[in-house]
């Protein structure tokens, strides 16, 4: 699935990294607990979260993730967006809630990873 | 390749910058062409350690030595120490407060994650004096 398709399916808008929209991603995970994200390395490329602090971007970076989706219409502060821009990570804000957002991506073919 | 020695001060009062030492080490390892899976193991273990230093120990020092076949990360703090290391290693055990949990950490996965990703994780701690965590990761 392309990052652009994720944005479309979740009715999301890019906060940064729209230029990476054509990048293909194959798996995702959803969590507000960064240590849980760090505990299960599976080559996931997308992180869905309701957290908006800089450690979300750092966690994604450590995991080599390429896209973060902020659910429930959340928009992180500018410093977080700047950090993601520096790291080359796409940020999307979606009005969907966690359960729906994960369900929509899953049913459209995005999987939890191996 | 000679060993590369890196040192960082980890600011204990700044949650925003927490993880920046790890970021720098990750970039260095990437630049040296180390296998990405190994780079990620080093980064995750060190990042958890760095976060721990900020939330539990008011910061400290990170010393990193990169060799041809491995990385040794030493995280040294002068914080309150760990009274029971065995208990602290149990997944889910945490002494972090609600504030830290609201930031996405403090789930009791920090030390277990470090042990999981590093090939060797040595924790030396004295209550009231501080903790030193040594993480050794061999390149595959």
């Amino acid at each position: 699935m392309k990052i652009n398709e994720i944005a479309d399916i979740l009715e999301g808008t890019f906060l940064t990294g729209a230029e990476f929209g054509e990048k293909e991603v194959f798996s995702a995970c959803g969590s507000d607990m960064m240590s849980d994200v760090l505990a299960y390395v599976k080559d996931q490329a997308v992180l869905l979260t309701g957290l908006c602090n800089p450690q979300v971007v750092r966690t994604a970076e450590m995991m080599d993730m390429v896209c973060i989706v902020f659910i429930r219409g959340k928009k992180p502060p500018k410093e977080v967006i700047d950090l993601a821009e520096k790291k080359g990570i796409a940020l999307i804000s979606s009005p969907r809630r966690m359960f729906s957002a994960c369900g929509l991506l899953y049913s459209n073919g995005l999987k939890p990873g191996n | 390749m000679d060993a590369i020695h890196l040192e960082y001060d980890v600011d204990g009062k700044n949650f925003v910058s927490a993880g920046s030492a790890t970021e720098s080490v990750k970039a260095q390892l990437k630049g040296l062409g180390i296998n990405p899976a190994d780079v990620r193991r080093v980064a995750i273990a060190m990042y958890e350690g760095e976060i721990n230093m900020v939330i539990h120990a008011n910061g400290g020092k990170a010393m990193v030595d990169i060799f041809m076949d491995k990385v040794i990360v030493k995280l040294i703090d002068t914080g309150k120490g760990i009274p029971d290391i065995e208990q602290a290693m149990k997944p889910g055990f945490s002494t972090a407060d609600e504030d830290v949990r609201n930031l996405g950490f403090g789930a009791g996965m920090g030390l277990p994650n470090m042990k999981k990703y590093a090939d060797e994780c040595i924790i030396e701690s004295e209550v009231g004096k501080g903790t030193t965590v040594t993480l050794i990761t061999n390149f595959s």
Side-chain angles (χ1 to χ4, degrees):
Chain A
M1 186 181 288
K2 286 181 173 154
I3 294 178
N4 276 335
E5 290 173 72
I6 293 176
D8 283 347
I9 291 165
L10 300 180
E11 295 161 62
T13 46
F14 280 96
L15 304 173
T16 183
E19 67 271 28
F20 306 124
E22 287 300 298
K23 233 182 219 178
E24 281 283 346
V25 293
F26 300 97
S27 60
C29 77
S31 182
D32 288 348
M33 260 299 166
M34 295 304 109
S35 284
D36 281 348
V37 177
L38 292 165
Y40 304 101
V41 174
K42 287 180 179 176
D43 269 326
Q44 288 128 335
V46 183
L47 171 64
L48 293 96
T49 187
L51 265 194
C52 282
N53 67 57
Q55 300 311 333
V56 175
V57 175
R58 291 236 164 78
T59 298
E61 205 235 332
M62 301 307 164
M63 303 289 282
D64 300 311
M65 289 171 154
V66 295
C67 175
I68 302 169
V69 179
F70 296 99
I71 52 159
R72 298 196 299 276
K74 290 189 176 188
K75 288 198 177 77
K78 189 178 175 295
E79 68 198 19
V80 176
I81 298 174
D82 290 347
L83 185 63
E85 197 180 341
K86 219 170 87 187
K87 302 287 169 200
I89 296 172
L91 300 187
I92 295 169
S93 176
S94 161
R96 298 288 186 173
R97 293 182 181 191
M98 181 66 101
F99 186 72
S100 323
C102 292
L104 281 165
L105 295 183
Y106 192 95
S107 59
N108 277 279
L110 207 57
K111 294 293 179 235
N114 298 311
Chain B
M1 185 174 86
D2 289 333
I4 297 171
H5 180 74
L6 307 165
E7 273 189 49
Y8 303 90
D9 284 315
V10 177
D11 182 356
K13 289 179 185 66
N14 193 343
F15 184 77
V16 171
S17 68
S20 48
T22 305
E23 254 174 30
S24 159
V25 170
K26 191 178 186 219
Q28 290 260 357
L29 293 173
K30 259 187 172 169
L32 291 167
I34 309 294
N35 166 13
D38 289 336
V39 174
R40 190 153 66 182
R41 288 197 299 135
V42 175
I44 294 172
M46 181 174 171
Y47 179 50
E48 287 279 15
E50 204 182 336
I51 293 280
N52 266 355
M53 283 167 102
V54 174
I55 62 183
H56 293 297
N58 219 358
K61 262 197 183 314
M63 306 225 266
V64 180
D65 288 289
I66 306 170
F67 299 93
M68 260 176 67
D69 56 342
K70 63 175 177 257
V71 183
I72 301 177
V73 177
K74 239 183 210 301
L75 303 164
I76 304 152
D77 72 59
T78 52
K80 52 187 177 286
I82 305 169
D84 185 339
I85 293 174
E86 203 182 316
Q87 189 181 33
M89 291 304 295
K90 284 195 183 130
F93 177 81
S94 176
T95 57
D97 58 24
E98 200 54 33
D99 285 352
V100 171
R101 285 170 205 245
N102 288 339
L103 294 166
F105 291 91
M109 293 305 290
L111 290 173
N113 276 353
M114 285 184 240
K115 197 180 164 196
K116 181 174 167 182
Y117 292 112
D119 291 305
E120 271 182 77
C121 171
I122 304 151
I123 302 168
E124 297 151 289
S125 191
E126 203 174 324
V127 173
K129 292 208 165 155
T131 302
T132 297
V133 177
T134 307
L135 302 163
I136 303 171
T137 309
N138 302 314
F139 300 142
S140 53

